[in-house]
Amino acid sequence: MSADHRSGCPINLSLEVLGDKWSLLIIRDMMFGNRRHFRALLTDSEEGIASNILADRLTRLTDLGMITSAPDPSHKQRILLSLTEPAIQLVPVLAHLGAWGRRHLPVTRELAIRAELLERGGQPLWDDFMDELRELHLGIARPAGTPSVLDGLTEAYLAELKADRGAAGVT
Amino acid sequence: MSADHRSGCPINLSLEVLGDKWSLLIIRDMMFGNRRHFRALLTDSEEGIASNILADRLTRLTDLGMITSAPDPSHKQRILLSLTEPAIQLVPVLAHLGAWGRRHLPVTRELAIRAELLERGGQPLWDDFMDELRELHLGIARPAGTPSVLDGLTEAYLAELKADRGAAGVT
DNA sequence: CCGAACCAGTTGCAGTTCGCAATCGGTTCA
DNA sequence: TGAACCGATTGCGAACTGCAACTGGTTCGG
């Protein structure tokens, strides 16, 4: 045993870990944006997280066992962040949450395409994606021949971005 | 258009609605505990929400279109709270979130049984449950003959409670 | 018909967290 | 060698949180 929880309800405990405005966004960016260190999360953040809050959440998520950090061999001062297995298993939660938001909230088209593909792919796609994340973050090789889900999502996003800029007229 | 959002990402927008420690717990209690007015949510809350925070979240969730309130015909001063269709469609999200918490966090056995049943039942059970919620909260009759998912979950919870007390010895 | 319990909140207050901007000391790159 | 980059830290005002007491009205039991 460890901490003082408000209750032993699974949903409550999940919210104690993830129930704030930033933690899931950080995990989302590590998952779908493949951002693996502090600066990448800070400056490429769509929502503009502050550096102190990012630092706080990273240590918090590390303490909770959702991410791990290790020195990056290529850059001496860079720290490589990785998702742990529990965090990788959030893929279905994020997929459903994205699907729900896409259906009921004023999403931007180019930012919604990934949620749409993820919803359409369903559990089989999520499984492939989790295998890919295990390879990227845990070093566990995935079955040969499976195409990259991350590449597919990213390509669709970029295509949507281009189409959108084309339709609207670039500045 | 309406408000100033941090970004148009579906996950971000969902978190702007649900990304705090209490909103989803209130929806959970309305869904699975069938609590339909202020006092019920306040005093039967497993986690002990404060009255001012409950009041704040209820108006907030109402403004966001997640719940509606109406005078209760039986009790003149009582206000009946109902989930809206978007809130009802959170069932899969809550099911996955509960399943994840059950797998990775120190849940209590009697509070985990509902998450377990919900996970085992999968999408078909969630569909039945959403139909039942539409009947309870929106007044839309569900297909005849379908058994109550809510009753099933509640019975399993109570049975687990009893078994637990039996095993541990009642005080 | 009267008092107790119940109803949905509100108020005041202290402590914590949030978001922002500036900054830090060290590292890498040109 | 100097500029850019690295993961943070600090200071500050504003916003949010949690707690306890309280309000004005309603219902229920005897």
Side-chain angles (χ1 to χ4, degrees), chain B residues 8-85:
Chain B
C9 165
I11 292 177
N12 172 59
L13 289 170
S14 299
L15 287 175
E16 289 187 14
V17 173
L18 307 166
D20 74 274
K21 297 225 181 305
W22 292 111
S23 297
L24 267 181
L25 290 185
I26 293 170
I27 291 172
R28 176 204 64 182
D29 284 349
M30 291 181 68
M31 261 187 195
F32 299 104
N34 201 30
R35 285 171 209 148
R36 302 294 295 276
H37 40 266
F38 192 92
R39 269 305 134 170
L41 288 166
L42 183 67
T43 59
D44 300 347
S45 160
E46 190 82 29
E47 290 84 12
I49 190 170
S51 62
N52 55 348
I53 294 179
L54 175 58
D56 175 82
R57 292 303 187 281
L58 286 178
T59 61
R60 195 181 118 82
L61 287 172
T62 302
D63 291 346
L64 288 166
M66 303 296 292
I67 64 180
T68 57
S69 59
D72 187 325
S74 62
H75 266 250
K76 196 162 293 180
Q77 75 181 134
R78 201 175 267 181
I79 293 175
L80 184 70
L81 301 166
S82 300
L83 297 171
T84 63
E85 177 64 25

Side-chain angles (χ1 to χ4, degrees), chain B residues 89-159:
Chain B
Q89 291 187 17
L90 284 171
V91 164
V93 176
L94 285 169
H96 271 286
L97 200 62
W100 183 84
R102 201 173 70 82
R103 200 168 295 124
H104 298 289
L105 300 171
V107 299
T108 306
R109 193 165 62 92
E110 68 267 17
L111 290 174
I113 182 67
R114 279 183 285 213
E116 185 181 344
L117 291 177
L118 220 54
E119 183 179 3
R120 271 219 294 268
Q123 189 75 51
L125 186 72
W126 306 342
D127 288 339
D128 285 349
F129 187 38
M130 292 199 289
D131 279 339
E132 185 177 2
L133 290 172
R134 287 187 189 100
E135 177 168 275
L136 288 170
H137 291 260
L138 305 177
I140 300 170
R142 65 194 155 121
T146 46
S148 166
V149 175
L150 190 56
D151 287 352
L153 294 176
T154 306
E155 275 166 32
Y157 166 62
L158 294 175

Side-chain angles (χ1 to χ4, degrees), chain A residues 22 48 50-53 56-57 75-77:
Chain A
W22 292 111
S51 62
N52 54 347
I53 295 179
D56 175 81
R57 292 302 187 281
H75 266 251
K76 196 162 295 180
Q77 75 181 136

